[in-house]
Amino acid sequence: MLKLQFPEGVQAASFLRLFWQRRPLLMRRALPDFRCPIGPDELAGLACEPEVESRMVLEHGTQPWELRHGPFAEDDFTALPDSHWTLLVQDVDKHLPEVARLLDAFRFLPDWRVDDIMISYAADQGSVGPHLDQYDVFLIQAQGRRRWQIDTRPQDGIPLRDDTELKILSRFEPEQEWVLEPGDLLYLPPGVAHWGMAEGPCVTCSVGYRAPALRELLGAWGEHLLERTPGDAHFRDPSAAPQTFSAEITATTLDAVDATLAQLLHVEIPERRRWFGRFATEVKPHLAPEPPDQALAPTDFREALRSRGSLHRHPYSRAAFAAIEPDRLTLFMNGREFDLPELSRGFVKAVAHERELHFGYLAEWLEQPDCLQVLTQLYNAGFLVFPNE
Ligand code: SIN
Ligand code: CO
């Protein structure tokens, strides 16, 4: 399993305490055994697939910092200049399972925070310009060399360029710079201005950690509140009294509105936490697993699993678990929840953590009807699949 080598004197705990969400960290030879699992041609091939999100940035295109959106055609690649362009492909971890293995090196961080692995190929001098992201990102140099310049000072007053749709800073004064070689890594917290320029052709893998925008969190919570409120329930005022001025909204009414809103907003803690587990494991709409052609009954599913030998997490699936209620564990996958007794802890952890589940390990658990039931549901939803399906 790929292991992250922190610089001397830094471990996962001190990284989280001193750098995570706070300060950049350059990690030379952080992944010395890392071999880039994808080359430029395969990346270009992915960028031609309709379900794959990809972009190209050309510094000297038909406009300054030209942005082109995929999917691309083969011809789009033959007409490119020798330098100053970058191809960026999102969610490569979901399209190529061998790329997802790179995430093993980062499992000291919660899975639910992982957004994707983006891979970029840049021709010599290729870059996407100086900018900042609202993501924590581990920039892994996979092939070739890239010069990274950063500025940690607040960028609030600095306008964006107005001649490109890319969010590029109009001024950038680097504080620090390094040339990264294969296996080197640069961690950047959100909001740090950075500019990475290819020195010769190069490939960079960005492991992106996304935290929900507070507005997004609130919007999703608001939707949950709406869903749990019956559509035919209305504000009621049975204690209405005769009014001296009919235009007045009386103190009695204002109190009743306060009480109604407080009641609508009040949600018990377990319900709130379950909602968050579902929210945190939701998949991107264009990357949702499809159910299998044929749903199986639990006993048939167990037999199929015995003969196939193993079950794989669909590469699009997102999973987590949490202890929310006493003596229970809740497994979350792709925005759904499954409740199991605390005694099934080993089962819940394995299903939430492992990308591959072997019958040999699962057999004992599948003797328990509720574990069998949950695993069958996950299979029938398409969240777990048999190999080569
Ligand atoms: C790149 O991989 O070319 C750009 C990554 C970034 O700057 O966030
Ligand atoms: Co960036």
Side-chain angles (χ1 to χ4, degrees), residues 309-367:
S310 65
L311 198 60
H312 292 231
R313 164 106 52 93
H314 189 291
Y316 295 173
S317 288
R318 292 169 65 83
F321 70 91
I324 292 175
E325 270 164 297
D327 307 323
R328 313 284 301 165
L329 274 186
T330 311
L331 170 70
F332 299 99
M333 208 179 276
N334 303 349
R336 284 178 57 184
E337 65 178 63
F338 305 86
D339 215 37
L340 281 156
E342 152 71 38
L343 283 174
S344 318
R345 171 168 276 270
F347 172 80
V348 173
K349 276 187 173 173
V351 176
H353 188 84
E354 304 297 338
R355 277 193 286 275
E356 201 177 325
L357 295 157
H358 292 276
F359 180 75
Y361 173 80
L362 289 173
E364 210 178 307
W365 291 111
L366 296 184
E367 297 300 317

Side-chain angles (χ1 to χ4, degrees), residues 7-269:
E8 214 172 311
V10 181
Q11 297 94 25
S14 50
F15 170 77
L16 290 173
R17 200 174 59 247
L18 301 172
F19 298 97
W20 177 250
Q21 297 252 294
R22 291 176 184 82
R23 293 198 279 142
L25 179 64
L26 173 71
M27 296 160 74
R28 293 273 182 211
R29 296 185 54 74
L31 292 164
D33 303 326
F34 175 59
R35 296 283 159 272
C36 183
I38 180 169
D41 292 343
E42 206 182 345
L43 196 68
L46 264 185
C48 296
E49 303 284 339
E51 72 279 12
V52 175
E53 194 186 328
S54 60
R55 287 166 296 155
M56 212 179 308
V57 176
L58 289 93
E59 196 175 343
H60 304 296
T62 52
Q63 71 206 53
W65 294 103
E66 185 189 346
L67 171 65
R68 295 182 189 167
H69 291 282
F72 296 100
E74 253 177 62
D75 287 356
D76 294 326
F77 294 101
T78 45
L80 288 168
D82 291 339
S83 68
H84 291 89
W85 61 268
T86 307
L87 169 71
L88 307 106
V89 181
Q90 300 295 147
D91 293 296
V92 185
D93 52 314
K94 319 220 182 25
H95 302 303
L96 297 180
E98 59 271 32
V99 170
R101 287 201 194 106
L102 182 51
L103 294 170
D104 291 343
F106 299 92
R107 287 200 112 173
F108 61 99
L109 291 162
D111 292 344
W112 75 265
R113 284 278 262 113
V114 176
D115 184 44
D116 75 335
I117 299 183
M118 179 189 82
I119 302 192
S120 69
Y121 170 79
D124 183 35
Q125 301 303 308
S127 97
V128 299
H131 65 280
L132 32 100
D133 300 308
Q134 291 311 325
Y135 276 30
D136 298 89
V137 66
F138 294 94
L139 298 155
I140 303 161
Q141 197 53 34
Q143 274 176 22
R145 289 148 53 97
R146 185 185 282 274
R147 178 179 301 274
W148 283 103
Q149 299 184 321
I150 66 162
D151 183 3
T152 58
R153 291 165 293 191
Q155 305 288 313
D156 303 339
I158 299 190
L160 298 176
R161 284 182 67 134
D162 58 9
D163 52 359
T164 165
E165 58 182 303
L166 284 163
K167 290 187 171 151
I168 297 183
L169 296 164
S170 59
R171 280 199 315 277
F172 179 71
E173 288 160 23
E175 278 178 320
Q176 273 175 294
E177 70 167 41
W178 309 274
V179 176
L180 267 65
E181 311 257 352
D184 292 347
L185 181 161
L186 176 62
Y187 162 73
L188 294 180
V192 170
H194 55 283
W195 192 0
M197 271 155 294
E199 299 210 332
C202 83
V203 176
T204 303
C205 300
S206 303
V207 180
Y209 280 78
R210 182 174 166 281
L214 294 183
R215 282 183 176 205
E216 180 192 350
L217 196 68
L218 197 59
W221 178 240
E223 251 172 57
H224 176 71
L225 292 177
L226 277 181
E227 276 162 23
R228 71 196 291 285
T229 306
D232 59 356
H234 287 251
F235 173 76
R236 295 175 61 96
D237 51 0
S239 48
Q243 301 216 173
T244 316
F245 300 103
S246 61
E248 184 181 4
I249 302 173
T250 62
T252 315
T253 299
L254 292 172
D255 286 348
V257 170
D258 285 346
T260 304
L261 285 180
Q263 199 189 348
L264 290 173
L265 295 175
H266 176 78
V267 177
E268 297 292 341
I269 291 173

